[in-house]
Amino acid sequence: MSDICACGTSSPSFDGVLHSLRELQSSPRVTLSNLGASRQGRPIPLLIVHDPAVPLAETVRLFIVARQHGTEASGTVACLALARHFAQAQGEEEQALLRQFSLLMVPVANPDGMCAGRRANAGGADLNRHWGGSGEPEISAIKAAVRKHQPHALIDMHELPAGSGKPSFRDNFIQTIGRDGTLSADLTTDCAATSARLASWMSQCGLPLSVYYDGANESLNLCHRYFGLGAGIPSYLFEAKCGSGRPLARRVRFHVLGTLVVANYALHRYYQPEGQATPQPEEPVAQAPEPTTTVPTTVTLSSPRPEQVARGQLPVVADVTGLPPGGTIGFSVDGKLRSLTTAAPHEYLLDTLGYADGRHEVTVEVCDAAGRNLGASRSVIIVDNRVAAGE
């Protein structure tokens, strides 16, 4: 991964991005095209990296969308870094990988916003709020490309502001599709397995992470929800935290590592050598390196209190000691996983408006890098939304 990220220390202009993409075309592994044009007529490039000797449709395909928000540089830089590495790599491992796997990347989904140095596109639209039914040309172009290439997984790369009052914005996070009986079991199993690996590997590499899960009733206006809930594609929103101690290179590292983890799972899940049956979905085992020493692990819920009456935003806080490298803390409500985290403080903000009035069980569970349970703690809360609803 260090080799991939070595060039991810500066952010080029939009013209610089186009220049880099044209340079990459000298590699026979690279195909560059334009999906369409932005509101102001700028091209929306699509970069595909794969072995030209293998038809694209016969490979496992990962689709990446970066820079929906014009000021968020790290996704673009991560795409360029990944493209350079796999376009040029001569190692046997990379060459074998590219016979099975393809990267399809939109390094700049919002060219006008990037050129203007602003979040929105030229029409003033925040692109990642309009996927459910927008006529924005940038969104329409990407939707058409996804329909054409039918990827096995999709990543939407973003950045978090340095300062925010939202607890979920405290550090890096990934958002994906949670287990839900009304959704495809293959979809939710893929998202659960991949997110467990993401949390564990990020922890191993010193990158704090929380994972949040969307249910079937969520709005489709966000990109990852549109393709995950709407199209059934395992989809992941990556949010790299900005601010002190989080320079561009660190944010690029977050995106690159996350891409490699998603790619690895998708490849092992979907690649089908000739004459072999399609692999079955795996359970969410992290498969990160195991710790060399065993440290006793304890976990308790310091909040909520047993039988606490809850209204509105309820912090669920776990006190954990002895968390091993690659270990994760999971928060569940009524048996349904809502969040995974490796980032201190170990907290999940439960919104009671999403639950019926009455008793609900809140559980925190600690697992090691291999997904083994190291301990759990439970508490029962009583949801009463009447005051929160203004009654």
Side-chain angles (χ1 to χ4, degrees), residues 73-219:
S74 59
T76 300
V77 179
C79 286
L80 293 176
L82 286 160
R84 288 191 189 102
H85 176 78
F86 286 108
Q88 301 167 2
Q90 298 303 312
E92 292 183 8
E93 185 175 349
E94 285 94 343
Q95 293 186 61
L97 173 66
L98 289 171
R99 288 192 289 272
Q100 306 169 7
F101 186 80
S102 300
L103 279 172
L104 298 87
M105 296 179 282
V106 182
V108 183
N110 181 4
D112 298 342
M114 179 178 178
C115 291
R118 70 177 191 174
R119 179 181 176 92
N121 74 351
D126 181 332
L127 292 182
N128 205 32
R129 301 295 184 274
H130 288 82
W131 285 84
S134 170
E136 298 300 328
E138 300 89 349
I139 291 177
S140 297
I142 295 170
K143 284 181 177 179
V146 173
R147 285 195 300 269
K148 175 181 177 180
H149 293 292
Q150 294 293 301
H152 297 86
L154 183 142
I155 296 171
D156 180 24
M157 293 180 174
H158 288 265
E159 292 183 346
L160 287 167
S164 173
K166 294 184 178 180
S168 59
F169 283 14
R170 184 179 292 125
D171 221 315
N172 308 318
F173 75 80
I174 288 170
Q175 200 164 339
T176 187
I177 311 305
R179 292 190 182 276
D180 190 309
T182 65
L183 298 172
S184 158
D186 284 352
L187 167 69
T188 58
T189 297
D190 280 4
C191 292
T194 303
S195 60
R197 287 165 167 77
L198 285 163
S200 189
W201 277 105
M202 292 289 183
S203 174
Q204 291 283 340
C205 293
L207 295 167
L209 176 70
S210 292
V211 180
Y212 302 114
Y213 296 97
D214 291 322
N217 60 343
E218 300 285 354
S219 163

Side-chain angles (χ1 to χ4, degrees), residues 29-74:
R29 298 174 186 167
V30 171
T31 303
L32 179 64
S33 61
N34 289 330
L35 300 181
S38 68
R39 277 185 173 270
Q40 292 181 335
R42 294 183 175 91
I44 303 168
L46 173 68
L47 184 73
I48 301 177
V49 184
H50 74 117
D51 186 331
V54 181
L56 182 65
E58 295 181 9
T59 63
V60 175
R61 300 171 297 284
L62 173 59
F63 199 103
I64 300 174
V65 180
R67 212 160 190 153
Q68 285 197 68
H69 298 140
T71 54
E72 297 176 2
S74 59

